[in-house]
Amino acid sequence: CEGVELMHLLLKGKKSSRYGAIKAIDFATTRCPPACDRLVEAGALAQLFAVFMGRSKIKNSRGDASDRDVAKEVEERCVSIISNLFQGVTKNSRKERLAAKFVEAEFEKVDRLMELVFRYEASVRACEQRIAREAEELEEDVDPGELMLERLDAGLFTLQCALVVVAALWGTGDAGLRRRLLACLHQKGQSLETVRSYLMEFYFGVGDDGAPEEKQRQLQRLGQLLGALGVDVDAEAAARHSGEDAAPAAAAAAAGDAGGQEDGQAGALDMDL
């Protein structure tokens, strides 16, 4: 968690070291609340969101054709950092500062976030369809491990990070943010169920790498986000453990606590429009 302030100073500069700085910040803020707190207190949100919005370009030290790959990596790392911050900052005042960035300039950062959600979700879905098609042609079963690796290569982790941010923004209870999120989802014919589905997979796929207490903290944070979306993670876990189909439980949660919230928000949205 050390050196966050230095990385922020490098990020503010115009040199090639900014590429290394964004990578270091991503690493430092992963599962490290003190680093998340320091980054927000250092005033790094302005620089971070300038990169997130594509207004501040970061290139590699060579400045050659590989800049295209660098741009994609920087995009993914920005999403990861913002996700880390929403999960890691310890004071409500800092969370409010973070969420407030998405309200600025008529919710332009929400639009950018949802643009990334839809792009990465389409990439993951296309990957799943390709693997299923290839398996059908070969008359073979899909290997779960291979499928997961392919989905990760297609951007699954970045999609999950982006949806963590979506859930965190929804969890603020801000009516304006909720209306904007729903407007973006409905525009693509989707709903909060998409967010719930991927985040539940994320929750139940948390591995045992690292200390057990850190795994527990991560599960607690993800559980809180899912709870804000109306998912009872304990009920989901019990259903999975007993071998029952988890889909009915998820559907019940969607149609119950959170479903009513979404319908209410959609109604308010329609009235505003």
Side-chain angles (χ1 to χ4, degrees):
C1 299
E2 300 297 331
V4 171
E5 292 88 349
L6 174 59
M7 293 303 103
H8 171 222
L9 291 175
L10 292 176
L11 189 61
K12 290 174 67 175
K14 300 296 182 182
K15 298 182 180 179
S16 59
S17 56
R18 299 173 72 225
Y19 175 47
I22 202 79
K23 294 170 65 176
I25 291 172
D26 184 20
F27 177 79
T29 55
T30 300
R31 301 183 181 181
C32 186
C36 295
D37 287 333
R38 290 182 190 178
L39 195 67
V40 175
E41 287 302 310
L45 294 184
Q47 288 74 36
L48 175 62
F49 278 98
V51 177
F52 175 72
M53 294 298 293
R55 293 171 183 152
S56 179
K57 303 295 184 181
I58 293 181
K59 298 182 179 181
N60 66 4
S61 57
R62 294 172 297 184
D64 56 19
S66 63
D67 279 339
R68 180 177 301 175
D69 295 331
V70 170
K72 186 174 186 298
E73 180 184 355
V74 168
E75 176 182 274
E76 293 173 347
R77 288 191 180 278
C78 276
V79 174
S80 177
I81 292 168
I82 296 170
S83 172
N84 291 342
L85 293 179
F86 269 113
Q87 295 180 79
V89 290
T90 59
K91 291 185 178 181
N92 287 335
S93 60
R94 294 177 184 135
K95 292 181 181 179
E96 290 168 0
R97 285 172 60 182
L98 186 57
K101 301 299 292 184
F102 286 88
V103 178
E104 294 175 352
E106 297 183 353
F107 305 99
E108 64 174 4
K109 296 175 184 66
V110 173
D111 295 343
R112 168 65 171 160
L113 173 66
M114 297 308 295
E115 171 196 332
L116 296 175
V117 166
F118 296 135
R119 175 154 35 98
Y120 281 95
E121 196 271 336
S123 175
V124 171
R125 187 163 17 93
C127 167
E128 293 168 345
Q129 293 170 348
R130 175 178 58 79
I131 295 294
R133 186 170 57 251
E134 292 174 354
E136 183 178 1
E137 291 172 355
L138 296 173
E139 297 183 350
E140 297 178 351
D141 293 332
V142 176
D143 179 77
E146 178 186 349
L147 177 59
M148 177 56 70
L149 289 175
E150 292 284 351
R151 294 174 75 219
L152 287 170
D153 191 54
L156 176 62
F157 178 70
T158 300
L159 172 61
Q160 289 171 331
C161 288
L163 292 175
V164 163
V165 179
V166 171
L169 293 175
W170 182 269
T172 65
D174 183 272
L177 283 171
R178 287 187 171 190
R179 280 197 297 269
R180 193 66 168 210
L181 290 169
L182 286 176
C184 292
L185 286 166
H186 293 171
Q187 194 172 41
K188 293 292 184 177
Q190 298 192 35
S191 70
L192 286 177
E193 188 56 34
T194 302
V195 185
R196 296 186 191 103
S197 177
Y198 279 105
L199 286 186
M200 279 195 292
E201 180 187 13
F202 193 15
Y203 178 89
F204 289 107
V206 172
D208 293 323
D209 56 314
E213 56 271 19
E214 177 50 44
K215 176 183 178 179
Q216 191 58 39
R217 280 195 295 268
Q218 185 176 15
L219 287 174
Q220 182 180 7
R221 290 191 293 264
L222 290 173
Q224 290 171 344
L225 293 175
L226 283 165
L229 293 168
V231 176
D232 185 337
V233 293
D234 291 333
E236 287 289 337
R240 294 177 183 231
H241 182 71
S242 63
E244 298 173 5
D245 185 0
D257 297 337
Q261 288 181 323
E262 184 171 359
D263 291 342
Q265 290 293 331
L269 176 63
D270 292 339
M271 290 179 66
D272 289 343
L273 293 177

